[in-house]
Amino acid sequence: MGDYTPTEALRRISLSYNNADSYASALRLVLALFPDWEHTKGEIEFIRFKDGITNTLLKAIKRRPGCSEEQIDNEAVLLRAYGKGTEVLIDRERESASHFLLAQHNLAPPLLARFQNGLMYRFIRGRVCQSQDLTKEPIWKGVARRLGEWHATLPVHPTDSTTSLETKADDLEHLVSVGSSKIPQDKINAITPNKPTPNIWTVIQKWIFALPVRTEVELERKSRLQQELERTVAELGNNPGLGKDGIVVGHCDLLSGNVIILPSQPNSEHTVETVSFIDYEYTTPCPAAFDIANHFAEWGGFDCDYSVLPTRSTRRAFLQEYLLSYYHHLYQASKGSMRTPKIIQPLLDGSNLNAEIDILMAEVDRFRGIPGLYWGIWALIQATISQIDFDYAAYAPVRLKEYWDWRAATAEGVGPGEREQRLAQV
């Protein structure tokens, strides 16, 4: 618990990471955090742990003589440097608050420090998932259980004793940097006037405001996406669902690279893997159905291989694991309290579970096109700001087509694309 630091007291290091001078700049940051590493025996090593399409992630280790790999890993630190220009997409103050909130609930490693263009936090031992791993039953069951724990445990609304992701009323008038413009926060929040903010809808609204409008085509595209957001919020923004007022704290970026398979315990049966989630920059309040639908979309990876997306029967089995975990942790959180929902115990006993799965299946299905809108808009912005070697300009229309195909399928009852056809399979 000694590593858990309130965000306002979090160590701030006035240095930055430079990808062009990776080793030297990373070394300066680590020595600022752990000065003793410079004067004690053992080499300092850096491992490029993950090349995402937004950030750079390095693992720093001190290879002390006589220490096992596990002991070295227990002292290791992750250094995550933000991609250039990503502040247009990501609220870094909220990201720090998210990480601290998760650490309070033992759902994230301790946050150690912030530097000028990134964060440092403790390393989690385990194996990073690949896209194909998400389709394996022991892993998707582990993901379902962990996600249920997230959604049941994390508070959306502020309390006296814990960090919250909700915007305070006093903050509503401040100006938010969106591209080259300054947008009043209350204008962003107006997309969902009766919901705590930020939320998934205000995030998308901010991104639409940031879209470039250098040509008539771009202006028309921005206007159409704004209309689609307003249409979608009108249809889905006030749906009932899990959590308080139908909102939970979602990860909102649960792709394979953000799922860590933890080391198995001796003599474990391996029927369900234990997993943890990393990278919390997109964490925000959202409907549980969005977070789940977004994860299902990630089974196809960055290549958008729709042939491996979960079928209806697999999605149903996932949701059964998820709901049992969600209600178990909700019960544990409210145990002994007069607030314990009467619905929980029958679900834990197995009765009423199928009815709850039916409800959540339908809700997740209604959200299946929204990840395409979300990441399509995101990619349009990345195409103008990112220096990472990824073809965002080609990725954006692929993701947006998922949204348009979903709209066509719901209007006409026929899936015009491979993705809709796959998701309809039993």
Side-chain angles (χ1 to χ4, degrees), residues 408-426:
T410 53
E412 302 166 12
V414 178
E418 179 187 354
R419 183 176 189 270
E420 286 294 315
Q421 293 171 15
R422 172 66 179 182
L423 291 173
Q425 289 180 13
V426 177

Side-chain angles (χ1 to χ4, degrees), residues 6 83 124 196 233 240 298 411:
I124 300 176
V233 171
E298 297 294 352

Side-chain angles (χ1 to χ4, degrees), residues 21-50:
D21 190 21
S22 180
Y23 181 84
S25 61
L27 182 62
R28 286 191 292 270
L29 285 164
V30 168
L31 292 180
L33 185 63
F34 302 125
D36 64 296
W37 280 25
E38 184 175 13
H39 306 294
T40 53
K41 291 182 179 179
E43 294 294 320
I44 298 173
E45 298 177 9
F46 293 95
I47 302 162
R48 192 170 289 270
F49 187 72
K50 172 191 169 188

Side-chain angles (χ1 to χ4, degrees), residues 4-23:
Y4 288 18
T5 307
T7 53
E8 63 273 12
L10 184 65
R11 174 84 180 272
R12 305 218 176 201
I13 299 173
S14 298
L15 297 170
S16 61
Y17 170 79
N18 182 355
N19 198 50
D21 190 21
S22 180
Y23 181 84

Side-chain angles (χ1 to χ4, degrees), residues 387-409:
Q387 296 181 325
I388 293 174
D389 184 18
F390 185 82
D391 194 349
Y392 295 102
Y395 185 69
V398 172
R399 296 310 305 265
L400 286 171
K401 186 176 184 296
E402 296 172 4
Y403 173 78
W404 301 123
D405 284 354
W406 166 70
R407 281 293 182 192

